[in-house]
Amino acid sequence: NAGVTQTPKFQVLKTGQSMTLQCAQDMNHNSMYWYRQDPGMGLRLIYYSASEGTTDKGEVPNGYNVSRLNKREFSLRLESAAPSQTSVYFCATRQGAGNTIYFGEGSWLTVV
Amino acid sequence: DAKTTQPPSMDCAEGRAANLPCNHSTISGNEYVYWYRQIHSQGPQYIIHGLKNNETNEMASLIITEDRKSSTLILPHATLRDTAVYYCIVRGNFNKFYFGSGTKLNVKP
């Protein structure tokens, strides 16, 4: 049981390049989340998806787009990467109200 | 959305109880309090959650005040492996979870 799988685990981008972080879950959960964590800081919510086909902004959505095409996958896209987006990105899932969140292992992104 | 306030860091001697406080004075009546921890740069790990009553599981105990404006996470016998950042979270609108900065717990020999 893989749980929450994120790819890639490590990526270096040049400023202005684009890329997509992938997240897949095998727990059949409805809700999915993308967070970022800057060095020495807490996690900040980027985007949230309550169910397939729906997304909603979190605390820091600027510079990102997301896609929830099916229940299993939730992708995060950086259209034009900036050094300020250097961070560790975590995907998470949750079954429903009152339930806990399960996190992936994180994706380390460096923008130079 | 209810926000939480936690001390940035705390120390605890190995084998002693670690008591981590959290203030959530704007919490709504139907909002749960969750606690997670993050060891190094791993994904956060669920510890415990509660609504009104005190809760206990194999990892920790959660004490919520009667007015629900604050809570305390108790690790009864802290070990070196409990050194981590501990996050107190109150679920916001539309089930968004906001983590804040957390408390860095240093368990010392």
Side-chain angles (χ1 to χ4, degrees):
Chain A
N1 184 353
V4 181
T5 302
Q6 295 182 226
T7 55
K9 285 188 168 45
F10 300 94
Q11 183 72 50
V12 178
L13 287 178
K14 293 182 179 179
T15 297
Q17 285 186 317
S18 62
M19 78 157 296
T20 299
L21 297 175
Q22 304 285 355
C23 177
Q25 53 113 349
D26 61 6
M27 296 180 284
N28 201 35
H29 287 176
N30 291 319
S31 302
M32 297 187 75
Y33 305 77
W34 274 108
Y35 290 87
R36 62 175 287 176
Q37 185 173 34
D38 299 336
M41 306 291 286
L43 284 79
R44 291 184 292 172
L45 180 63
I46 306 172
Y47 268 96
Y48 159 71
S49 171
S51 61
E52 177 182 344
T54 67
T55 62
D56 195 9
K57 295 179 180 179
E59 302 168 276
V60 289
N62 292 342
Y64 304 95
N65 288 305
V66 290
S67 177
R68 182 85 184 273
L69 296 178
N70 55 59
K71 191 173 186 178
R72 185 172 175 272
E73 297 170 308
F74 189 35
S75 61
L76 179 72
R77 182 161 179 83
L78 288 71
E79 291 291 351
S80 178
S84 61
Q85 293 178 304
T86 293
S87 191
V88 182
Y89 291 83
F90 289 98
C91 177
T93 72
R94 188 170 67 92
Q95 174 58 27
N99 293 89
T100 62
I101 307 177
Y102 296 90
F103 283 84
E105 295 183 349
S107 295
W108 273 252
L109 176 64
T110 301
V111 183
V112 298
Chain B
D1 295 338
K3 299 299 183 185
T4 61
T5 304
Q6 299 177 253
S9 65
M10 293 182 63
D11 291 336
C12 178
E14 188 177 19
R16 305 295 294 267
N19 297 282
L20 292 90
C22 179
N23 288 322
H24 32 77
S25 58
T26 61
I27 192 170
S28 299
N30 62 348
E31 290 182 319
Y32 285 79
V33 179
Y34 291 78
W35 283 84
Y36 280 75
R37 73 179 182 184
Q38 186 177 29
I39 299 174
H40 298 302
S41 297
Q42 300 175 17
Q45 173 192 21
Y46 167 78
I47 302 173
I48 197 167
H49 74 286
L51 183 61
K52 295 181 180 179
N53 300 322
N54 298 337
E55 301 287 344
T56 296
N57 63 21
E58 65 277 7
M59 290 182 68
S61 295
L62 173 61
I63 308 298
I64 303 174
T65 58
E66 190 170 347
D67 62 8
R68 299 202 338 112
K69 293 185 177 182
S70 65
S71 61
T72 300
L73 178 73
I74 300 172
L75 306 178
H77 305 288
T79 70
L80 298 178
R81 288 177 293 181
D82 292 321
T83 292
V85 178
Y86 288 77
Y87 296 98
C88 168
I89 304 152
V90 175
R91 190 175 71 228
N93 289 336
F94 303 106
N95 297 315
K96 299 177 186 178
F97 284 76
Y98 297 106
F99 273 69
S101 298
T103 296
K104 178 66 165 53
L105 176 66
N106 297 303
V107 180
K108 299 184 176 181

